[in-house]
Amino acid sequence: TTTTTTTTTTRGATRTIARAMDDRAMGRREMSARGGWETPARERCAWTRALGKEGFGGGARARGFASEGKPEDETTAEDESGEDAEGDGEGEDEVSRLRGELEEKDAKVADLTDRILRTMAEMENLRERTRRQAEDAKKFAIQGFCKDLLDVADNLDRAIATVTVDDDENDVEKVKTKLKSFHEGVVMTEKTLLSAFKKHGVTKFNPEGEEFDANSHMALFNVPIPEGSDAKAGTVAAVTKTGYSLHERVIRAAEVGVYQ
C-alpha cells in the first residue's frame, strides 16, 4: 500500500511539473509577443508551490525547492540594486562631462566676443585715421609745388628791387645798368619757374611753324601766306600765348594764328 501510494504521488508530481513546464512555455510565448519575459525567480516559486501541493518527496522536498528559490530572489534584487547604482554613477559622470563641455564653450564664446569687440574698435580707428589722411592729402596736395614756387617769388623780389621809381632818369649809364640787372633777374625768374614746372610734370610748348593741331592749339585768326614764302596753309604762323601740358595732358592750349 505504501509503495502504491508513493508511486501515485510521484506520478502526480510528474504530471504537475509537466503542466508547469507547458504553462511556462506558453507564458514565454505570450510574454515574447508582448515584449517581456517572466523572471526566473517567479518561475521557480511557481514550481515550488506546485510541488508543495502535489507532494514530491514530502514537505521537506518542497521546502528544499523553496530554499533554493529564495537566494535567487535576493541575488536578483542585489543585481538590480547594483545596476541602479551603476546607472546613477554613469548619469552623474555624463552630467559632469556635459557641464565641463558647457563651461569650455562659454569660455570660447567669451574669448571670441572679446576678439570681435577689439577688431571692431581697431577698424573704427583705422577708418578715422584713413579719413584724416585723405583730408590732409587733399588739403596739402600742392604743398611741394608751392614750395618750389617760393624761389620764383624770391627772384621776382630781387628783380623789382633793382629798379626804383625815384631814380634819376638823366643818368643814361645808370639806367642801362639797372635795366640790364632787371632783365637778368627776370630771365633767372623764368628759368626757376620753368624748372619748378618741369619738376612737377608741367611742360611749356611753343607750336610756331608746326602744323595746326586742334587738340593742343586754339586758332584765333588767319594769316595770309606772303608771296614768295615757303609757308604752307594750315601751319601755325604766330603764337600769342604759349601752351602748357601736365604729364602729356594739355592743360592750356596754345593760342595761335594759322596760315590760310
Side-chain angles (χ1 to χ4, degrees), residues 7-257:
T7 302
T8 304
T9 302
T10 302
R11 289 177 179 176
T14 302
R15 286 194 299 272
T16 301
I17 292 173
R19 286 196 301 271
M21 293 180 67
D22 292 339
D23 294 340
R24 178 187 176 189
M26 184 178 296
R28 288 193 177 207
R29 288 193 294 270
E30 293 177 357
M31 293 300 292
S32 176
R34 291 195 300 268
W37 295 89
E38 188 176 3
T39 59
R42 293 183 179 179
E43 292 178 1
R44 289 192 179 92
C45 290
W47 296 346
T48 303
R49 289 194 297 273
L51 291 172
K53 291 179 180 180
E54 298 295 337
F56 187 71
R61 182 63 59 84
R63 286 192 299 273
F65 277 103
S67 63
E68 291 178 358
K70 183 177 180 180
E72 183 68 24
D73 291 339
E74 293 177 356
T75 303
T76 303
E78 292 176 357
D79 292 341
E80 292 178 355
S81 299
E83 292 177 357
D84 293 339
E86 184 179 357
D88 294 339
E90 292 179 355
E92 292 178 357
D93 294 340
E94 183 68 16
V95 171
S96 300
R97 184 181 65 81
L98 293 175
R99 185 178 291 110
E101 291 181 356
L102 181 60
E103 293 176 355
E104 183 180 357
K105 299 297 183 183
D106 290 340
K108 289 183 178 180
V109 169
D111 182 61
L112 291 175
T113 302
D114 181 69
R115 291 184 181 182
I116 290 173
L117 293 176
R118 291 178 182 274
T119 302
M120 291 176 65
E122 291 177 359
M123 292 300 296
E124 183 64 26
N125 294 334
L126 178 61
R127 283 194 293 268
E128 184 64 22
R129 288 196 302 270
T130 303
R131 185 185 62 80
R132 289 198 302 266
Q133 291 175 358
E135 291 180 355
D136 292 342
K138 182 179 180 180
K139 186 183 297 183
F140 301 104
I142 60 173
Q143 179 177 353
F145 182 69
C146 294
K147 185 177 179 179
D148 292 334
L149 290 180
L150 296 179
D151 294 335
V152 178
D154 294 338
N155 290 332
L156 285 175
D157 290 338
R158 295 188 187 98
I160 292 173
T162 58
V163 180
T164 58
V165 179
D166 57 351
D167 286 340
D168 189 4
E169 299 180 358
N170 296 325
D171 191 350
V172 178
E173 294 297 330
K174 188 176 181 180
V175 171
K176 287 183 178 180
T177 302
K178 290 183 177 182
L179 289 176
K180 183 178 180 181
S181 298
F182 181 77
H183 180 267
E184 290 176 355
V186 173
V187 171
M188 185 180 298
T189 301
E190 184 183 17
K191 289 180 179 179
T192 306
L193 180 62
L194 293 178
S195 176
F197 283 167
K198 186 177 181 181
K199 182 178 179 180
H200 294 277
V202 179
T203 306
K204 178 181 179 180
F205 61 91
N206 187 342
E208 187 175 356
E210 298 178 2
E211 187 175 356
F212 177 79
D213 184 1
N215 295 321
S216 56
H217 305 157
M218 180 183 293
L220 299 180
F221 52 91
N222 294 325
V223 178
I225 299 176
E227 295 182 0
S229 175
D230 296 334
K232 297 181 180 179
T235 58
V236 177
V239 178
T240 59
K241 187 181 292 187
T242 57
Y244 288 90
S245 62
L246 176 63
H247 299 296
E248 299 182 358
R249 175 187 292 180
V250 177
I251 58 176
R252 191 184 77 177
E255 297 180 359
V256 300

